[in-house]
């Protein structure tokens, strides 16, 4: 499908100023100190030891304590506010689609700008890898408003039509290129519509083993269900193929919706198996609402980590066996 026709594009300074007034000011009042829930840093100071729970990082297992108690225990560290975040941005042609007043690319740019500004205001560093038919740019981590403006300019400057020779997106290339750049444990945001060739699942899972990964899935409501618009031309943004589609055909619309639902379910399962948090972001979503959903997601994850494991998951010490010689 072709991109929606939009109003003249704002420059980076105008866009960031608009977001600071319309989104960041509202978030400052709504989050009310939930910064630690929204974004967790890493720590170096040992605070406590507790029993291993499902989804704990196995690298934090204390093997000496585990050997003494015969029950797996993990080290708990005092969280440090300072953290590094990376944005892995899929700017391939399919993200330019938008059925309304906004495209997925515009929503991506606003989300990145808001989250990067939230982070850098607290002294954290953000970096980015931009993909568009291949890795086009790498922005090393930095902080401050000027750095956020530079990031936003890079996103806006990415050509909307991709390469001269259209082809399918390969998210695997983006993930493989980003992995060696992340020298220390970071929070990684992968922003994409995940319309891609297969092969990205394993690189994403490997990334999640070392870093805290959030998949921000961009979508447009029209990609889920077609309205009755009669005979219309539709172009595949990834391959450039042009088709005439009869949306008046009720059977075609039903098959389209069924295939879209199957793809949705398969994508959710794949992201779940990779061990990443997922935030679904529609092109017409209110950013404040989306970020509050993200905050609640992080709060639930934090609560699950701190809660004791269910009784059926706790390890029970083995019952001692009486030697045969001691039996009467």
């Amino acid at each position: 499908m072709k991109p929606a026709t939009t109003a003249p594009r704002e420059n980076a300074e105008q866009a960031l100023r608009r977001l600071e007034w319309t989104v960041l000011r509202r978030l400052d009042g709504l989050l009310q100190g939930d910064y630690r829930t929204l974004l967790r840093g890493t720590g170096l100071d040992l605070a406590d030891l507790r029993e291993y729970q499902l989804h704990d990082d196995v690298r934090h297992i204390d093997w000496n304590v585990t050997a003494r108690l015969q029950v797996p225990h993990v080290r708990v560290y005092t969280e440090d506010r300072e953290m590094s975040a990376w944005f892995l941005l899929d700017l391939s042609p399919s993200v330019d689609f938008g059925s309304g007043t906004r495209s997925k690319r515009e929503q991506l740019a606003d989300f990145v700008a808001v989250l990067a500004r939230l982070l850098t205001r607290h002294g954290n560093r953000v970096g980015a890898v931009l993909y568009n038919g291949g890795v086009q740019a790498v922005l090393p981590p930095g902080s401050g408003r000027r750095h956020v403006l530079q990031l936003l300019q890079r996103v806006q400057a990415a050509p909307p039509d991709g390469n001269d020779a259209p082809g399918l997106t390969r998210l695997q290339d983006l993930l493989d290129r980003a992995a060696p750049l992340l020298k220390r444990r970071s929070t990684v945001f992968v922003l994409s519509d995940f319309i891609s060739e297969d092969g990205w699942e394993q690189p994403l899972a490997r990334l999640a083993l070392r870093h805290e990964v959030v998949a921000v899935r961009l979508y447009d409501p029209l990609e889920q269900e077609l309205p009755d618009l009669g005979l219309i031309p539709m172009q595949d943004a990834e391959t450039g193929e042009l088709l005439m589609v009869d949306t008046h055909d009720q059977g075609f619309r039903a098959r389209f919706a069924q295939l879209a639902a199957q793809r949705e379910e398969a994508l959710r399962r794949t992201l779940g198996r990779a061990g990443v948090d997922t935030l679904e972001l529609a092109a017409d979503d209110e950013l404040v609402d989306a970020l509050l959903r993200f905050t609640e997601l992080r709060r639930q994850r934090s609560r699950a980590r701190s809660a004791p494991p269910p009784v059926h998951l706790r390890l029970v010490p083995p019952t001692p066996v009486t030697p045969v010689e001691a039996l009467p």
Side-chain angles (χ1 to χ4, degrees), residues 200 217 219 224 260-276 278 280:
W200 55 267
R217 192 180 74 85
Y219 71 96
Q224 314 300 322
Q262 291 173 356
R263 178 184 178 275
E264 289 287 304
E265 181 61 28
L267 180 57
R268 291 190 180 112
R269 286 199 304 268
T270 300
L271 293 173
R273 287 196 301 266
V276 303
T278 303
E280 298 189 346

Side-chain angles (χ1 to χ4, degrees), residues 41-294:
T42 55
L44 298 177
D45 298 328
L46 181 64
D48 198 2
L49 288 165
R50 61 168 173 79
E51 286 189 25
Y52 176 85
Q53 301 170 20
L54 190 64
H55 300 306
D56 278 340
D57 192 335
V58 295
R59 294 172 301 169
H60 293 165
I61 293 178
D62 189 311
W63 296 107
N64 291 329
V65 174
T66 298
R68 288 201 303 271
L69 300 180
Q70 296 298 305
V71 177
H73 276 67
V74 294
R75 302 186 186 96
V76 180
Y77 295 93
T78 302
E79 286 186 12
D80 187 1
R81 289 181 67 91
E82 182 179 354
M83 61 167 289
S84 295
W86 281 83
F87 296 98
L88 310 187
L89 307 179
D90 172 15
L91 301 175
S92 58
S94 61
V95 303
D96 289 303
F97 176 71
S99 61
T101 58
R102 292 173 58 80
S103 67
K104 292 183 285 185
R105 177 195 285 257
E106 290 171 314
Q107 187 72 301
L108 175 150
D110 284 359
F111 182 87
V112 169
V114 168
L115 209 52
R117 192 71 187 104
L118 276 173
L119 282 164
T120 56
R121 286 196 312 180
H122 291 86
N124 301 298
R125 295 158 57 85
V126 298
V129 182
L130 281 63
Y131 173 93
N132 189 6
V135 173
Q136 301 292 323
V138 175
L139 184 65
S143 59
R145 191 175 188 276
R146 181 174 298 180
H147 185 74
V148 176
L149 280 173
Q150 184 182 2
L151 171 57
L152 192 53
Q153 286 171 346
R154 294 285 187 94
V155 174
Q156 291 181 344
D161 295 325
N163 293 336
D164 295 333
L168 292 177
T169 299
R170 284 179 51 85
L171 279 180
Q172 179 180 355
D173 295 344
L174 170 61
L175 299 170
D176 288 342
R177 177 70 175 86
L181 298 174
L182 280 57
K183 302 299 184 183
R184 54 175 291 186
R185 181 172 171 82
S186 307
T187 299
V188 182
F189 297 91
V190 182
L191 282 87
S192 174
D193 55 11
F194 292 93
I195 299 175
S196 168
E197 288 187 0
D198 293 337
W200 55 267
E201 299 87 350
Q202 288 301 320
L204 183 65
R206 287 195 297 268
L207 203 64
L209 289 176
R210 182 178 180 188
H211 306 280
E212 196 165 4
V213 180
V214 179
V216 182
R217 192 180 74 85
L218 304 160
Y219 71 96
D220 187 279
L222 198 59
E223 294 172 331
Q224 314 300 322
E225 188 173 354
L226 287 176
D228 185 356
L229 300 175
L231 190 64
I232 60 171
M234 299 179 68
Q235 184 177 23
D236 189 323
E238 296 283 319
T239 64
E241 183 181 2
L242 185 64
L243 298 172
M244 296 299 295
V245 175
D246 184 8
T247 60
H248 185 64
D249 185 340
Q250 186 175 359
F252 173 79
R253 297 201 310 274
R255 290 192 300 274
F256 181 93
Q258 181 181 9
L259 290 173
Q262 291 173 356
R263 178 184 178 275
E264 289 287 304
E265 181 61 28
L267 180 57
R268 291 190 180 112
R269 286 199 304 268
T270 300
L271 293 173
R273 287 196 301 266
V276 303
D277 289 339
T278 303
L279 174 65
E280 298 189 346
L281 186 63
D284 56 357
D285 267 350
E286 286 287 341
L287 272 184
V288 171
D289 296 337
L291 286 167
L292 290 177
R293 291 200 310 270
F294 175 57

